[in-house]
């Protein structure tokens, strides 16, 4: 095992020597690492003085943890240049040929670069956080709880691994340092948006949700590392000089993959659609299991947490709630808003959002949205059961008629997103990353157009014109 890891350390040592020779990297990193904590401390003092006027204790308690999260983020953004230049920089300097011809495995080369790219920003971030904590302790401000400190350090580490792993992927796929630096905005901006959500969770004070956020960031980071290794090819790095954006080739490649050479609709379904559908079958089986687990967990959570609230409610409140649930709006009063086309477009938009979220996160966010949709079924079932109503007839009348088509469409569409995420992190011999992405998008388009859209259309018709009548009859009885 040690012999396998020794080349990783040799490559990391080489990278560190090159890095510490360049003062243009070290000076900005040192200035930001040592000066930013003082600026953040001054900001915290001014904020504390302002909030003390209004006795905003909740915000004051979370101000120091929030400052720690921000301080840990900024050194990573500056140190990102090391990871961005890891491969493409050596190619421009003409030093990559000896590295790629060395008797090392691809994963050893990749992890050697990744190790230095992650350690450098983490050391800078930890130093900045340490300086800030020292100033906070000298000023008598309230220090975060140990559990919160652990979360903040893990969150900083997860951000560093996420950004560096994405930067290494960009460096491998780019043809120039200029292109890699421009593409860095697609790393910094999404992570900055992610931190806004994490800041909300931090001020909210729910540590469980923050743990889930840390786990999500680490999962995406590991998937990015896997993507980089899966699509790392030495010949590709040596032979490519410049990329041309050939829209005609992209459209032709997509159309050929989408049609599969079929000359009729029946042939397209048998050949092109059938092959894509079969490739996604394992993901469909897994998503069916995810659906069962999500619905059960939601049902169990509602039963465990809502039963006490319902038990303590007065009989008048329960009667009023049951009456409100039993009353359906007059569909004719909606004047055409709730019709088949509206429902179809709404469901199609939801499936498109699942696809886009999955593409941006290697299927993680897409699967999460799918789980939330399925969890609503288990939660509503539990609420109806706790209220003393009969959920089975209501679900058979209100969900089953259109759910026969809508739920399989949701499952299949989400399963294809999971399949795409798995395929992206799987080595594809003889294909560039662009070709893999185009083929996977064609697979999604085939299943979306050939099955999901027709199912959603049928579900919209049933939900608009058949389900309400059945449900009104059941509730009326």
């Amino acid at each position: 095992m040690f012999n396998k890891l020794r080349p990783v350390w040799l490559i990391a040592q080489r990278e560190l020597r090159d890095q510490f020779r360049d003062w243009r990297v070290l000076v900005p990193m040192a200035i930001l690492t040592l000066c930013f904590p003082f600026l953040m401390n001054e900001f915290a003092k001014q904020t504390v003085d302002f909030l003390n006027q209004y006795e905003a204790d909740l915000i004051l308690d979370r101000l120091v943890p929030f400052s720690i999260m921000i301080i840990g983020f900024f050194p990573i953004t500056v140190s990102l240049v090391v990871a961005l230049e890891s491969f493409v920089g050596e190619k421009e300097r003409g030093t990559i040929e000896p590295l790629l011809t060395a008797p090392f495995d691809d994963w050893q080369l990749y992890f050697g670069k990744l190790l230095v790219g992650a350690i450098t920003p983490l050391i800078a971030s930890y130093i900045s956080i340490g300086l800030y904590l020292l100033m906070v302790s000298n000023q008598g401000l309230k220090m975060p709880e140990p559990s919160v400190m652990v979360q903040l350090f893990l969150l900083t580490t997860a951000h560093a691994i996420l950004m560096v792993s994405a930067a290494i992927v960009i460096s491998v796929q780019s043809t120039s340092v200029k292109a890699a630096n421009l593409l860095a905005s697609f790393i910094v901006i999404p992570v900055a948006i992610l931190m806004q959500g994490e800041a909300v969770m931090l001020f909210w004070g729910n540590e469980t949700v923050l743990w889930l956020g840390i786990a999500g960031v680490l999962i995406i980071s590991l998937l990015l590392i896997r993507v980089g290794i899966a699509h790392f090819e030495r010949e590709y790095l040596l032979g490519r000089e410049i990329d041309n954006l050939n829209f005609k080739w992209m459209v032709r490649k997509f159309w050929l993959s989408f049609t599969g050479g079929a000359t009729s609709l029946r042939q397209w379904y048998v050949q092109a659609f059938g092959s894509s559908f079969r490739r996604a079958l394992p993901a469909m089986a897994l998503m069916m299991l995810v659906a069962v687990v999500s619905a059960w967990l939601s049902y169990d959570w509602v039963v465990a947490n809502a039963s006490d609230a319902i038990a303590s409610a007065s009989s008048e409140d329960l009667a009023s709630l049951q009456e409100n649930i039993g009353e359906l709006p007059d569909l004719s009063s909606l004047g055409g808003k709730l019709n088949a086309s509206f429902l179809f477009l709404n469901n199609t938009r939801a499936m498109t959002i699942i696809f886009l979220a999955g593409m941006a996160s290697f299927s993680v966010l897409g699967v999460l949205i799918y789980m939330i949709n399925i969890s609503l079924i288990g939660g509503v079932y539990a609420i109806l059961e706790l209220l003393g109503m009969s959920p089975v007839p209501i679900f058979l009348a209100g969900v089953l008629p259109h759910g026969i088509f809508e739920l399989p469409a949701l499952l299949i569409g989400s399963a294809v997103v999971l399949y795409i995420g798995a395929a992206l992190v799987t080595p594809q011999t003889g294909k560039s990353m662009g070709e893999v992405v185009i083929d996977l998008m064609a697979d999604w388009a085939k299943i979306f157009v050939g099955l999901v859209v027709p199912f959603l259309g049928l579900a919209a018709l049933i939900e608009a014109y058949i389900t309400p009548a059945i449900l009104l009859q059941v509730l009326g009885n």
Side-chain angles (χ1 to χ4, degrees):
M1 183 65 182
F2 177 77
N3 291 332
K4 288 287 186 180
L5 294 177
R6 189 169 180 272
V8 175
W9 176 241
L10 291 176
I11 295 168
Q13 284 180 313
R14 174 181 178 275
E15 189 75 7
L16 279 172
R17 284 195 300 268
D18 292 342
Q19 182 177 317
F20 283 110
R21 288 196 194 107
D22 195 345
W23 65 270
R24 291 165 295 185
V25 175
L26 294 177
V27 172
M29 193 185 306
I31 291 175
L32 187 63
T33 300
L34 300 176
C35 295
F36 190 73
F38 292 94
L39 295 176
M40 201 66 194
N41 183 56
E42 183 62 28
F43 164 76
K45 286 197 299 183
Q46 297 296 331
T47 305
V48 168
D49 293 339
F50 176 77
L51 293 176
N52 279 334
Q53 303 175 20
Y54 303 97
E55 298 181 354
D57 295 332
L58 178 60
I59 299 179
L60 286 173
D61 291 341
R62 295 293 170 176
L63 183 60
V64 173
F66 172 74
S67 301
I68 292 173
M69 184 173 68
I70 299 299
I71 290 171
F73 172 71
F74 273 91
I76 299 173
T77 60
V78 175
S79 305
L80 204 61
V81 67
V82 176
L84 286 169
E85 293 191 359
S86 56
F87 285 101
V88 70
E90 292 217 37
K91 182 176 181 179
E92 285 196 350
R93 293 190 295 269
T95 59
I96 196 169
E97 286 83 359
L99 179 66
L100 295 181
T101 54
F104 300 145
D105 294 335
D106 287 348
W107 70 269
Q108 292 170 335
L109 291 172
Y110 198 89
F111 272 101
K113 296 283 189 177
L114 181 66
L115 183 63
V116 176
I119 287 178
T120 304
L122 279 176
I123 291 175
S125 296
Y126 292 159
I127 292 174
S128 291
I129 293 173
L131 286 174
Y132 178 71
L133 290 176
L134 184 62
M135 288 183 284
V136 167
S137 62
N138 291 334
Q139 293 171 1
L141 294 175
K142 183 179 179 181
M143 297 289 287
E145 297 291 333
S147 60
V148 176
M149 284 298 303
V150 171
Q151 287 182 325
L152 291 172
F153 274 95
L154 287 176
L155 201 58
T156 300
T157 305
H159 287 159
I161 297 174
L162 174 64
M163 297 175 71
V164 168
S165 56
I168 297 289
V169 172
I170 289 176
S171 183
V172 170
Q173 299 297 322
S174 297
T175 56
S176 66
V177 173
K178 180 176 68 175
N181 288 328
L182 289 173
L183 288 171
S185 59
F186 291 97
I187 301 174
V188 177
I189 294 175
V191 175
I193 296 173
L194 175 66
M195 287 185 63
Q196 295 180 22
E198 292 167 349
V200 171
M201 291 188 284
L202 192 63
F203 280 103
W204 183 14
N206 192 321
E207 295 185 9
T208 303
V209 178
L210 200 55
W211 280 118
L212 294 176
I214 295 170
V217 174
L218 287 174
I219 290 172
I220 296 176
S221 302
L222 294 175
L223 290 174
L224 275 169
I225 294 172
R226 176 60 180 167
V227 167
I229 296 175
H231 298 279
F232 180 80
E233 296 183 12
R234 305 188 191 200
E235 297 80 5
Y236 190 62
L237 283 169
L238 289 172
R240 186 183 48 170
E241 295 296 332
I242 190 169
D243 278 334
N244 293 319
L245 195 61
N246 192 336
F247 285 106
K248 289 184 178 179
W249 174 84
M250 293 169 63
V251 173
R252 187 166 59 249
K253 173 70 175 174
F254 176 84
W255 183 250
L256 182 62
S257 181
F258 179 80
T259 58
T263 57
S264 65
L265 183 61
R266 182 179 181 278
Q267 188 181 13
W268 179 80
Y269 265 102
V270 172
Q271 295 181 359
F273 173 84
S275 62
S276 298
F277 188 83
R278 286 189 294 272
R279 285 194 292 269
L281 279 175
M284 294 178 196
L286 181 59
M287 293 301 277
M288 191 175 298
L289 178 62
V290 169
V292 174
V293 173
S294 300
W296 170 254
L297 289 177
S298 174
Y299 171 85
D300 186 68
W301 186 89
V302 171
V303 170
N305 292 275
S307 57
D308 294 337
I310 294 177
S312 60
S314 63
S315 57
E316 292 80 6
D317 293 336
L318 291 177
S320 176
L321 182 59
Q322 288 180 353
E323 184 179 352
N324 291 333
I325 292 176
E327 292 179 356
L328 284 175
D330 186 3
L331 298 181
S332 61
S333 66
L334 298 178
K337 180 181 178 182
L338 187 63
N339 52 33
S341 60
F342 170 79
L343 293 171
F344 172 74
L345 291 175
N346 181 68
N347 292 334
T348 305
R349 182 172 64 249
M351 292 303 306
T352 305
I353 291 173
I354 290 176
F355 168 71
L356 295 175
M359 287 295 292
S361 60
F362 303 101
S363 78
V364 174
L365 292 179
V367 173
L368 181 61
I369 297 173
Y370 167 79
M371 292 175 63
I372 292 173
N373 278 276
I374 297 298
S375 297
L376 293 175
I377 298 176
V380 172
Y381 190 95
I383 290 173
L384 294 175
E385 194 175 75
L386 291 172
L387 291 174
M389 305 178 69
S390 299
V392 174
I394 294 176
F395 268 74
L396 289 177
V399 177
L400 186 61
H402 63 273
I404 294 175
F405 297 102
E406 186 173 325
L407 292 179
L410 174 64
L411 186 147
I412 293 170
S414 303
V416 177
V417 172
L418 178 62
Y419 155 72
I420 290 174
L424 281 174
V425 300
T426 303
Q428 305 281 343
T429 306
K431 287 185 178 181
S432 67
M433 192 170 183
E435 291 174 319
V436 172
V437 171
I438 292 174
D439 287 340
L440 291 175
M441 291 183 67
D443 283 340
W444 177 83
K446 282 184 278 188
I447 295 177
F448 186 75
V449 173
L451 185 62
V452 174
V453 170
F455 272 28
L456 291 179
L458 291 172
L461 290 171
I462 296 172
E463 187 174 2
Y465 305 116
I466 298 176
T467 299
I470 299 175
L471 188 58
L472 283 171
Q473 289 182 354
V474 171
L475 292 178
N477 294 330

